[in-house]
Amino acid sequence: MNSDAMLKECFRWFGPNDPVSLQDIRQCGCMGVFTSLHHIPYGELWTREEVRKRVDQLAEYGLEWSAVESLPISEAIRTRTGDFERHLENYRKSIENLAAEGVPLIIYNFMPALDWVRTDLAWKMPDGSECLHFDPARFGVFEMHILKRPGAEKDYTPAQIAKAKAMFDAMDEAERAKFEKAILDVFPGVKMGVTLDSFRAMLAKYDGIDEAKLREHYRLFLEAVVPTAERVGARLAVHPDDPPFPILGLARIASTESDFRQIVEMVPSPANGLCFCTGSLSARGDNDLTGMVQRLGKHIHCVHLRSVQRNPDGTFYEAAHMEGCANIPAVMAELLKLNDTKPADAKLPMRPDHGRRLLDDLKKPVNPNPGYDCLGRMKGLAELRGLMHGLVYASQNK
Ligand code: DNO
């Protein structure tokens, strides 16, 4: 194995409004970014011109557009209602336009209603840094006592139900209102300022869409877009559910190895692949990360690296990149072996996912993109880069 086996080092970039600039990203030692055209509404067309503008903007800083994250799938497509045929046509055209401009790798997710979910975006660690945190009981307060979703109790353990009740009972009216807003505001997949009623309406769109139905919609989506992707040499990569278990009664179909197996077998094609996100996947103890790389490797198109610390009560927080429950050195060793076998035009790009908020970032205005401050990710990337160099060196000097 030589240095060609190293994953391509990238950062996520949220576009011109991202407080972390392209120059910052360049200085962190990245060769590319994962980014999206965030100004284009979900379902609408990405024209060649808009894509080229972004490619040129990145090139000014010597950066490539390593992966599109994401080319979002509209709720109409997921639920197969309203404008979904037109959105699918736009999706195909956008894939063509991206490929034509030299951007063939496209990440998306198939999570209903919401992208990733946490209950606290600024969880204080003993060293004063902050990270993202999920507490099922806290979420339960919201779901069982504020949203009052019928049947929500079924998703909780008796201990979590009791804890949620105690937390709710201890709050007065003002605290409850504050709590409701805090939870609604931390749904990163939702525009800030959503009300409880509009949130209920979002969820209602999925009434009657159980796991089997959602899988069917997903298959129909893949059948509609994968042939186009294959024809133009694009590669689609599905991001795992985050967290990888059911929430809010919504179906989950991209959480486990067997889910991913079904996804790649549903519409077999080199264009139908995976974004391997160790952070999302490691929030479940039964996901064998190294085994997944070994067994699903040929379908993996790109990588997100981070780790979470799971606790016995079901809470988890985002650990530092080399800490927590995911064995990142072991996963990295497998990823390097895998990448070594990939052709030059399909080498895996990776980005250190969510970092801690630490050092000077704590003194700056809160980043609108939780988890995406610069310094924590720079630390993560530095550790991952060192790990890759060490593993390559060790393989050459056995
Ligand atoms: C969180 C990210 C996700 C991911 C999307 C892909 O930080 O990993 O938001 O970008 O789910 O569509």
Side-chain angles (χ1 to χ4, degrees):
M1 188 156 76
N2 58 39
S3 57
D4 289 349
M6 302 222 318
L7 312 189
K8 299 199 279 179
E9 294 159 46
C10 306
F11 252 29
R12 189 175 197 175
W13 187 58
F14 284 93
N17 296 329
D18 192 328
V20 181
S21 69
L22 291 174
Q23 178 164 299
D24 296 340
I25 292 176
R26 185 71 185 155
Q27 289 179 8
C28 289
C30 296
M31 52 81 67
V33 295
F34 289 34
T35 193
S36 181
L37 298 182
H38 293 280
H39 56 287
I40 302 182
Y42 287 18
E44 297 307 320
L45 177 69
W46 290 20
T47 62
R48 269 191 83 157
E49 199 188 359
E50 283 299 305
V51 172
R52 191 172 327 125
K53 260 200 256 165
R54 180 57 57 86
V55 170
D56 291 346
Q57 184 183 18
L58 299 175
E60 272 175 47
Y61 293 85
L63 293 165
E64 66 161 42
W65 191 348
S66 306
V68 176
E69 182 168 2
S70 308
L71 181 57
I73 299 181
S74 67
E75 289 292 280
I77 292 180
R78 283 200 195 85
T79 54
R80 291 187 77 79
T81 54
D83 251 1
F84 78 97
E85 297 279 11
R86 186 177 69 85
H87 289 180
L88 285 172
E89 182 54 23
N90 285 341
Y91 208 93
R92 285 188 287 266
K93 272 254 153 342
S94 301
I95 293 174
E96 284 177 359
N97 291 342
L98 283 161
E101 294 299 332
V103 190
L105 179 51
I106 299 166
I107 301 170
Y108 67 95
N109 71 68
F110 218 79
M111 287 179 256
L114 299 163
D115 197 329
W116 52 282
V117 171
R118 298 289 181 276
T119 53
D120 199 334
L121 302 179
W123 182 259
K124 271 259 182 276
M125 297 299 293
D127 66 3
S129 65
E130 293 171 5
C131 68
L132 277 53
H133 185 268
F134 184 77
D135 179 351
R138 197 171 147 81
F139 201 69
V141 175
F142 174 71
E143 229 194 314
M144 294 185 274
H145 299 285
I146 293 174
L147 190 65
K148 299 196 172 66
R149 181 173 75 78
E153 298 74 23
K154 284 199 290 266
D155 292 346
Y156 293 87
T157 63
Q160 287 165 347
I161 292 174
K163 185 171 161 197
K165 182 168 187 318
M167 282 166 82
F168 184 70
D169 289 346
M171 292 180 202
D172 63 25
E173 279 308 312
E175 283 166 334
R176 285 175 186 172
K178 209 170 135 207
F179 177 85
E180 172 185 319
K181 186 168 167 2
I183 293 285
L184 285 172
D185 275 355
V186 302
F187 286 139
V190 180
K191 294 273 162 288
M192 297 295 184
V194 67
T195 63
L196 206 53
D197 280 339
S198 56
F199 189 70
R200 282 198 185 102
M202 277 172 55
L203 295 181
K205 293 195 183 134
Y206 286 87
D207 283 351
I209 303 188
D210 61 3
E211 206 181 296
K213 190 103 197 128
L214 190 65
R215 248 184 246 281
E216 184 196 327
H217 289 184
Y218 188 11
R219 179 177 53 77
L220 292 166
F221 164 74
L222 289 173
E223 282 172 359
V225 303
V226 166
T228 303
E230 193 171 322
R231 179 169 52 76
V232 299
R235 298 191 303 280
L236 300 173
V238 62
H239 187 277
D241 302 327
D242 185 3
F245 44 77
I247 51 154
L248 294 162
L250 298 164
R252 287 298 218 197
I253 53 172
S255 297
T256 64
E257 179 165 352
S258 102
D259 288 341
F260 293 117
R261 177 70 57 207
Q262 291 189 55
I263 290 167
V264 296
E265 285 171 0
M266 229 154 36
V267 179
S269 161
N272 177 21
L274 315 172
C275 169
F276 192 72
C277 175
T278 58
S280 308
L281 295 170
S282 64
R284 268 182 92 114
D286 57 355
N287 276 335
D288 164 19
L289 299 189
T290 46
M292 285 168 91
V293 178
Q294 287 160 352
R295 291 182 291 272
L296 294 169
K298 76 168 188 242
H299 308 288
I300 295 177
H301 292 328
C302 55
V303 181
H304 290 171
L305 289 161
R306 67 178 168 84
S307 176
V308 304
Q309 178 63 51
R310 297 183 306 270
N311 300 310
D313 61 358
T315 59
F316 68 80
Y317 65 85
E318 298 193 356
H321 289 81
M322 292 298 146
E323 292 164 19
C325 297
N327 184 346
I328 296 293
V331 175
M332 183 66 96
E334 281 311 320
L335 286 169
L336 294 185
K337 273 194 256 165
L338 171 67
N339 204 29
D340 209 24
T341 66
K342 298 256 178 197
D345 61 351
K347 290 289 178 205
L348 298 169
M350 69 89 159
R351 60 177 186 82
D353 206 1
H354 309 168
R356 291 277 164 81
R357 185 156 180 249
L358 40 76
L359 305 175
D360 280 11
D361 279 340
L362 288 166
K363 298 174 202 145
K364 294 181 195 158
V366 172
N367 190 314
N369 309 305
Y372 290 96
D373 288 294
C374 186
L375 297 173
R377 287 187 295 154
M378 181 173 86
K379 173 174 175 286
L381 181 61
E383 293 168 348
L384 294 163
R385 176 185 294 134
L387 175 61
M388 290 197 284
H389 278 283
L391 286 166
V392 169
Y393 178 85
S395 81
Q396 293 168 340
N397 295 276
K398 280 202 179 119

